[in-house]
Amino acid sequence: MTARAADRARYDRATAHLDAPVAIVDLDAFDANADDLVRRAGGKPVRVASKSVRCRALFERVLAKDGFAGIMSFTLAESLWLARSGFDDVLLAYPSADRAGFAELAGDPKLAAAVTVMIDDPAQLDLIDASRDGGREVVRVCLELDTSLKLLGGRVRVGARRSPLHSPAQVADLARTVARRPGFRLVGIMAYEGHIAGVGDAVAGRPLRSRAIRLMQAAARRELAERRAAVVRAVRAVAPDLEFVNGGGTGSVQHTAAEDAVTEIAAGSGLYVPRLFDNYTSFRGRPAALFAQPVVRRPDVGVVTVLGGGYPASGAAGPDRLPVPYLPEGLRYDPQEGPGEVQTPLLGSPADDLLIGDKVWFRHAKAGELCERFDVLHLIEGDRVTATVPTYRGEGRTFL
């Protein structure tokens, strides 16, 4: 029996009493992935990216481990909810225009002490001030550095279009603006190198493309390490009490941690290890989060149909954004239909061994987005469900 077949047998036994659709997290794999992130971080704390987990019980589990500290959130409303729930170090990774949220933040000393907001433009400070509604608490601020690699005088850009702050001078100028402005305190710098951390460098069947990605990423790492160090020096000249410099992501943990200027690493997808993280040469994780759909039809030899399953991930539309049939091994989509809103035909010889009501296990393309489809996650240890915990959706929290 292969390791994957053994996993399927475990998951089927553990969830035999549960009707599909159902979502699980294999805690043995989750914990092993957490330990690997800590190892790769080389002694620097790992801040958990909430969008890649979306389950408070699993935040509590991973933050109880040595090597993890703090949460990186994705909306202000989520940040405030987490802070009210007892998480006392929440870094909002994206600028917000949530006026009601800023009024709440500025009016509550506990929230203001726990939550740090992201800016990259003085206009965002104006919006926060206009939203205070009498609240006088000092708002903790982090500046985001654009990590993109610019070539040929800026005519070629590699990386996401995020912050407008690219040079040390630009970041230092905004740091001075924050320092001069009453009601704000500059505490951190963040730089997410998505073109390194979020792009696999071993694309199956594409050796030339994989080599090109590795060459690009090596060049981008060198350029960013030098520029990030210069940015930190320039900002510390303005704010010598800077608390943290956050960088990295699951795919770049060990490279980013090697930079002296970086004090903490962000990662989240590496806990669940969705399918987009299969194509990396620098690490190997264990798939921990899966979902199962029930077989409801057997239309023909070598074909079964499961209920639902059309759960595409965000990003540029393409086959890599689709979930993949994972267990039993050897199933594939019908290219004429793909994963459907209500039903999904699956082709392959393993279909002939599946009966009505059997489960087919899938892996989502991305990590936490799976939780937007399910109210609960069943936590599996060995071949038993040992706990059932709510996702954000299960708690009635759909922030985006």
Side-chain angles (χ1 to χ4, degrees):
M1 181 182 290
T2 67
R4 279 174 61 174
D7 283 341
R8 181 196 175 200
R10 285 196 301 117
Y11 301 152
D12 282 348
R13 285 196 299 271
T15 63
H17 63 295
L18 298 172
D19 288 332
V22 64
I24 65 166
V25 171
D26 182 338
L27 290 180
D28 293 335
F30 181 91
D31 290 343
N33 293 334
D35 292 343
D36 187 61
L37 288 172
V38 170
R39 177 190 62 80
R40 291 199 286 137
K44 293 185 177 178
V46 178
R47 185 181 291 272
V48 181
S50 68
K51 74 179 183 65
S52 300
V53 179
R54 304 193 201 204
C55 174
R56 287 196 297 165
L58 290 176
F59 294 155
E60 292 168 356
R61 184 181 185 91
V62 74
L63 288 172
K65 294 178 177 291
D66 290 340
F68 288 87
I71 292 177
M72 176 178 282
S73 58
F74 59 94
T75 73
L76 181 56
E78 176 208 17
S79 306
L80 301 176
W81 176 62
L82 291 173
R84 287 194 298 268
S85 302
F87 298 99
D88 60 4
D89 180 6
V90 183
L91 169 61
L92 175 57
Y94 307 87
S96 176
D98 180 354
R99 292 176 172 83
F102 283 128
E104 187 176 355
L105 178 68
D108 187 316
K110 178 184 175 181
L111 297 179
V115 175
T116 301
V117 304
M118 190 67 59
I119 70 162
D120 55 29
D121 189 314
Q124 293 151 352
L125 300 176
D126 295 339
L127 187 146
I128 295 171
D129 270 340
S131 304
R132 285 179 180 271
D133 194 27
R136 297 181 177 273
E137 295 300 322
V138 173
V139 174
R140 293 166 54 86
V141 169
C142 179
L143 308 182
E144 180 170 3
L145 169 68
D146 170 44
T147 65
S148 63
L149 176 64
K150 295 185 177 181
L151 304 170
L152 301 177
R155 293 190 295 276
V156 175
R157 175 193 182 104
V158 180
R161 297 182 181 276
R162 291 178 63 115
S163 170
L165 305 176
H166 190 80
S167 70
Q170 289 174 313
V171 185
D173 187 53
L174 185 53
R176 284 188 286 271
T177 298
V178 175
R180 291 192 297 262
R181 190 137 178 177
F184 296 93
R185 181 155 63 95
L186 178 58
V187 298
I189 300 170
M190 187 195 82
Y192 172 58
E193 50 266 49
H195 51 303
I196 303 170
V199 178
D201 63 349
V203 184
R206 303 288 297 277
L208 294 180
R209 176 174 173 79
S210 297
R211 177 169 172 74
I213 291 172
R214 288 194 289 273
L215 290 172
M216 176 277 291
Q217 290 179 336
R221 283 196 299 268
R222 289 192 297 270
E223 186 276 337
L224 179 59
E226 181 177 338
R227 181 160 51 90
R228 180 154 41 198
V231 165
V232 172
R233 288 193 298 270
V235 173
R236 286 197 184 277
V238 177
D241 295 331
L242 202 68
E243 296 176 13
F244 64 85
V245 177
N246 180 282
T250 288
S252 70
V253 170
Q254 65 272 35
H255 301 298
T256 308
E259 296 181 33
D260 291 338
V262 174
T263 66
E264 64 175 40
I265 308 299
S269 295
L271 295 169
Y272 286 173
V273 186
R275 65 165 292 197
L276 283 177
F277 285 85
D278 288 347
N279 301 324
Y280 285 79
T281 57
S282 60
F283 76 101
R284 285 286 182 273
R286 291 173 56 185
L290 300 94
F291 67 94
Q293 304 295 108
V295 174
V296 293
R297 286 178 170 164
R298 292 169 51 88
D300 204 344
V301 174
V303 185
V304 292
T305 301
V306 298
L307 183 71
Y311 304 159
S314 61
D320 66 338
R321 300 292 144 166
L322 301 179
V324 288
Y326 183 61
L327 302 170
E329 299 180 64
L331 293 174
R332 64 187 187 278
Y333 292 124
D334 182 336
Q336 301 301 313
E337 297 194 48
E341 177 185 12
V342 177
Q343 67 172 30
T344 297
L346 298 170
L347 313 180
S349 58
D352 294 331
D353 296 323
L354 291 168
L355 305 176
I356 300 296
D358 283 352
K359 295 181 175 77
V360 174
W361 295 92
F362 293 77
R363 293 172 64 200
H364 204 271
K366 298 185 76 173
E369 290 182 19
L370 169 65
C371 295
E372 299 299 330
R373 298 285 183 169
F374 291 89
D375 290 344
V376 299
L377 297 171
H378 300 282
L379 308 184
I380 290 179
E381 296 181 78
D383 60 358
R384 296 186 304 117
V385 172
T386 56
T388 298
V389 296
T391 61
Y392 277 15
R393 169 177 159 159
E395 296 200 70
R397 304 288 176 169
T398 50
F399 294 107
L400 280 178

